[in-house]
Structures are given as structure tokens and as C-alpha cells.
Amino acid sequence: MSRGVAVTGLGCLSGAGMNLAECLDSMFRNQRYPHPPVRFSTDHPVSYPVLELRDEFQLPLDDQETVYTRTSQLALVAALEALADAGWDAESLRGKRVGVCIGTTVGCALNCDDFYRTYKSGANPKLQVIERFLRSNPAAVIARQLQLNGPTQVVVNACSSGTDAIGIGASWLRAGACDIVIAGGADELSRVTYAGFSSLMITATEPCKPFDVNRKGLNLGEGAGLVILENEASVAGKAVRGRVIGYGSACDAHHLTAPHPDGLGLKRALAEALDMAGLGPEQIAFVNAHGTGTPDNDRIESRVLHEVLRGVPFISTKGYTGHTLGAAGGIEAVFTLACMARGEIPANIGFAEPDPALPSTPVTANTRIEADYALSESLAFGGNNAVLIFAKGDH
């Protein structure tokens, strides 16, 4: 079995809480906070609940709103929490080879509709919003703010971006390219995203119900989830949060937005991750599923879990966070590691009635679980599928 890459720090903020502790507290109280959008207005005739951050956050920047986009700010907040959790700060990282690999979806788009509106009216809009976008590559922002000198990469692979970013970051350490890697996902919620998913008709008008027979779609969310990965020399003598021991990635090559009806890409990603980890399916203690609450995703994912990981408990945490798109894989990786340490997984909120078309169903109550190994998976538009397998850490 692979010893894997050490995870020494976790950072997370989402609609469930402004840091990892608040997120876990909400989830294990089975409390969620969907509401109509507050940070932007919309004249869409139907109101879809979202899970925005419930509080403001502050960064050590003179004017954070004009310096960087919200996605990059979210990534930086999560990075600072994860570094503190790992016992690092900007000063102590000097002289280390530190890479940054961040997944995003919305963060790569120029969502500045006021600028477009002004331009279309015939006026000349100010270029500050464009300049802000051009300096807001989220991986480069973290590297610039912390004065890091390792490789930086942004992964834009739809809703598997955060999972892929952690898998790629771990590969840098295995290749000897870095001492430390900051990896995960970040995405903001915007009016453009809200309107886009409304047009796809896959958003629910009520709090989402992953894997339930009455599920009507997803709730959008925002946030970031980042981990600190370290090589063996860097982690010597330090307690670790866990280890990345398996990663798999495969594409369905089937449809722009729908998963393959037999889940072929997901099966290949699972097989690749299990092979890399040197584990059998029976050794996985639980799965943090993608579980969007859309009819297609949940049907295919349930069938694949039943076929490949039959009997393994699984949950979707998107009922608490909403679907945070490019951030989802990072946030769910953080939750997976935190639940392993806690020895407990939360109830799959929103699930009440099984769907006869789904051969497996999620846990319906907070469940004690002894986990040496757990798995987090992401399915994405474009047919992308990505899987991470973690080993339990010291705390």
C-alpha cells in the first residue's frame, strides 16, 4: 500500500460556516442555511435558494474588494487557515519550495456585468474591474501574497477542479518538485452563474435533496477548501491530518453536461485511485459522494457506488454547502479528512424517501465510523470524474 503524501493542514469556508470548525458544527447539528441571493439581485421570475457565506471576512489587504476577485479572496482565506493549522506562516515558509495548485470554475470567468452594461450603453467603462481580473489568478494570488517561489497552477476542470488540484499537487511532491504544496478549490457565486444554472433547469426551488426520490436539482453555493501537503523531510516529527494515498481521473467522453449512463468514467477513476492506493473496495470506510441532488448525477453515482463500493456508507455534504462548483472537491476533501479524525460522518441532509431507481442510499443520521481509509469523488460537466483516497492521520 502507498504511504502517500502527508496532509498537515486544513482550511475551509462555505455557506455552512466561516471556517472548518463552524462548518463541522453546522453539519453535525444537521443545520443548513439556504436563502434567496443577497449579494446580487436578479429579476429572474423564479427564486432559487443559494448558500452564500453568512458573514463577511477580512484579509490583510488595504482594499480587498478592489484588489482581487472574490474567488481569489476566498482561496486566500482558506489558505491562511490551512497554513495556521499546519503550523506555518508566511515568514516560516521562506527558503522552502512551496507550490500552489488551485481549482476553480467561476473564478476563471470575467463576471462583470456592470462593465458590460456600461459598454453596451455606448459609454467607456473604467478598466479597474478588468485589471482586477487580470491579477486574480487564485494560485498566483496566494503565491504573491505569501511570497512563495514554487510552481503555480490553476485547474479549470468544472466541478472536479478542486479534487484534481489536490491530486496534481500531491504528484508534485512525489516528483520531488516541492517541499510543500497548498492545494484545493475556490469559487464565488455570481449573478452570471445563477442565471446560467437557471437556464440549464437543474436548480431546485427548495433546499436540495441529494439521492431522495423527490430531488429537484442543486442549490448553488460558494466557498473554498484547501489542504497543506508536505514531503517526508518537511513533515518529520509533525503530526499529520492524513495522507493522500490514491488519485484517479477519467473522462466519460460522452456528453457536455450529462454523465455516461453506465458511469464509465467514474468507474475508471475509482479503479485508478484504488490501484494507486493499493486498496480493495472493502477497505474504504465511507465515501463523500458528489451528490448534487440532480436526477442524472444521483442516479448514475448511486449505481456506480452500488457496483464498485457496495455496502460502503456514503454521504453528500452539498445539502449543507450547496454546490460550490470548482471549490467542491477541495471542500469535500477537507470534510473527508476531518470526519475521519472525528470518527463520525453527518447525516445526508435533505434525504427522506428512497428512490426505487437508486440501488443504494446515503446515511440518514450522524453515524459513528472507524475509518482508516475514506474516499471523496467529484463528477463534472464535460464528463470529468476525479477520485481521491485518504488514509487516516494522527489527529
Side-chain angles (χ1 to χ4, degrees):
M1 184 190 70
S2 166
R3 179 168 170 77
V5 171
V7 182
T8 58
L10 307 176
C12 173
L13 70 167
S14 72
M18 297 301 292
N19 52 49
L20 177 56
E22 287 187 12
C23 289
L24 294 175
D25 181 64
S26 296
M27 292 195 297
F28 284 100
R29 285 189 293 104
N30 305 141
Q31 181 70 51
R32 58 177 167 175
Y33 308 96
H35 55 73
V38 172
R39 294 196 63 258
F40 58 87
S41 61
T42 172
D43 57 2
H44 196 282
V46 179
S47 177
Y48 299 100
V50 298
L51 287 109
E52 298 172 313
L53 297 189
R54 290 184 290 137
D55 294 308
E56 297 300 320
F57 56 85
Q58 291 297 320
L59 286 166
L61 300 169
D62 290 337
D63 189 348
Q64 65 186 46
E65 294 298 327
T66 60
V67 174
Y68 297 132
T69 61
R70 185 171 175 85
T71 293
S72 292
Q73 294 175 45
L74 294 169
L76 189 53
V77 170
L80 293 174
E81 182 188 0
L83 285 169
D85 186 45
W88 294 105
D89 59 24
E91 187 62 31
S92 61
L93 291 174
R94 300 285 179 273
K96 302 286 186 183
R97 299 174 301 158
V98 185
V100 186
C101 190
I102 304 297
T104 189
T105 296
V106 184
C108 70
L110 197 52
N111 296 317
C112 45
D113 40 352
D114 288 341
F115 177 91
Y116 301 137
R117 194 174 295 109
T118 302
Y119 181 79
K120 287 184 68 175
S121 73
N124 289 319
K126 294 181 179 178
L127 291 177
Q128 284 92 337
V129 67
I130 306 299
E131 293 164 351
R132 182 183 66 167
F133 174 78
L134 292 175
R135 61 173 171 263
S136 287
N137 175 310
V141 165
I142 292 172
R144 187 183 311 134
Q145 287 301 129
L146 299 174
Q147 299 181 43
L148 307 177
N149 60 3
T152 58
Q153 181 174 348
V154 168
V155 179
V156 182
N157 209 13
C159 303
S160 64
S161 300
T163 302
D164 286 317
I166 294 173
I168 292 169
S171 76
W172 292 354
L173 288 165
R174 288 196 302 273
C178 300
D179 302 313
I180 299 169
V181 175
I182 302 169
D187 249 339
E188 65 190 274
L189 181 57
S190 77
R191 180 166 33 222
V192 173
T193 311
Y194 182 89
F197 275 81
S198 300
S199 69
L200 288 171
M201 297 186 289
I202 56 172
T203 47
T205 56
E206 58 189 17
C208 66
K209 301 177 177 179
F211 300 105
D212 187 274
V213 68
N214 295 310
R215 64 191 185 279
K216 296 178 180 176
L218 57 83
N219 300 147
L220 288 168
E222 64 175 352
L226 271 63
V227 300
I228 306 302
L229 307 172
E230 299 190 40
N231 65 19
E232 289 305 311
S234 177
V235 82
K238 181 187 291 186
V240 302
R241 285 283 204 171
R243 290 181 181 275
V244 181
I245 61 170
Y247 168 58
S249 178
C251 183
D252 290 338
H254 168 70
H255 191 272
L256 287 176
T257 58
H260 189 280
D262 296 323
L264 292 182
L266 179 57
K267 291 177 186 175
R268 287 200 296 269
L270 284 165
E272 185 178 3
L274 286 165
D275 181 65
M276 180 177 178
L279 297 178
E282 72 283 356
Q283 293 175 276
I284 302 298
F286 72 89
V287 174
N288 193 333
H290 192 59
T292 58
T294 59
D296 278 353
N297 177 92
D298 292 5
R299 181 176 60 255
I300 301 307
E301 193 170 15
S302 171
R303 290 175 179 173
V304 171
L305 289 172
H306 182 71
E307 180 177 333
V308 180
L309 294 158
R310 186 171 304 187
V312 175
F314 68 93
I315 53 170
S316 166
T317 51
K318 287 187 174 65
Y320 300 100
T321 65
H323 193 350
T324 56
L325 307 179
I331 290 172
E332 288 154 20
V334 169
F335 289 165
T336 302
L337 286 157
C339 287
M340 292 176 75
R342 189 181 174 110
E344 187 178 19
I345 54 176
N348 188 104
I349 196 167
F351 177 87
E353 185 176 349
D355 182 344
L358 272 54
S360 55
T361 56
V363 299
T364 56
N366 295 352
T367 303
R368 296 295 304 175
I369 197 160
E370 293 298 326
D372 290 326
Y373 311 106
L375 185 151
S376 181
E377 64 186 28
S378 299
L379 288 69
F381 283 176
N384 303 313
N385 303 271
V387 174
L388 288 167
I389 298 177
F390 298 100
K392 185 179 181 180
D394 305 312
H395 65 107

